[in-house]
Amino acid sequence: MYAALFPGQGSQRVGMGKALYEASPAAREVLERAEATLPGLLKLMWEGPEETLTLTENQQPALLAVGYAAYRAFLAEGGTEPSLAAGHSLGEWTAHVAAGTLELEDALRLVRLRGRYMQEAVPPGEGAMAAILKLPLEAIQEALAGLEGVEIANLNSPEQTVISGRKEAVEEAAERLKEKRARIVFLPVSAPFHSSLMAPARERLARDLAQVTLRKPRFPVYSNVTAKPEAEEDPGRIRELLLEQITAPVRWVEILQDMEERGIRRFLEFGSGEVLKGLVARTLKEAHALSVGDPEGVRKALEVEDA
């Protein structure tokens, strides 16, 4: 029994997915389908330049493609489907592709639009995000009380929370939090994600998502909005949650804790990077997480499953 995790923005790197493409026919099929849907995507993923890959409308489909390719490579080598799945922000879309809720091609087109709409929702330089380290959530909420224009965007681990909003408000919040001895890291992002400022992006994406067929997932996929697995809900509810997710905070700590309460002790992070593996380690005491982003990761994941 394991939970499949799929990363979000920030996990991209030039070269991601190339080793999987070369080693796994299953991964190759996924990545070639991605290339046919969004021509030029593979060249960008493997050759860069990094600043172009990092653009929100590019990194979202790239991360989705690599996450699903790694998952398919794992299954093709004898891996089993997860008991539960979750994705961090953009990764929730990848999880739904893995679960069969969305077709790969539909998801790729939608997340490219999602990234474009999110980028265009707030003019460059007007928004900001900052990670707050070494301070509990209650103290952060206390510091933000009465301050307009800044919201909690990501609850990543018990000691890592991200705030998002208007640049001036985020900077003022950072000063308040420094007085509480928090460590502040401003994030190199181009928009204030997971805040109410993203409402225009949610409204634009709603029109596109309405044109796409969603199916009931084969296994439960957690919503970032509710921090609960949405399996028995009709696809219309999942559609609503994917849209609401754009402006709502990512409740990652609660998702991991809920998985633990359901008996999950093993986590596989499919895709580029090891961000979620690290968050599991910082949130759960008795969990074991592996990153599955290349052929070696696939091999290790299969060894653990056979043990």
Side-chain angles (χ1 to χ4, degrees), residues 1 36 54 63 115 130 167 306:
M1 185 166 73
T54 302
L63 287 166
K167 185 174 183 291
D306 291 339

Side-chain angles (χ1 to χ4, degrees), residues 30-46 48 52-53 57-58 61-62 65 104-105 108-109 112 116:
V30 169
L31 293 172
E32 287 180 348
R33 287 170 62 189
E35 175 66 17
T37 304
L38 302 176
L41 183 64
L42 293 188
K43 186 176 188 296
L44 179 59
M45 285 164 46
W46 297 341
T52 305
L53 177 61
E57 66 180 88
N58 292 330
L104 172 64
E105 288 81 1
L108 287 166
R109 295 186 191 98
R112 167 153 285 182
R116 184 175 302 160

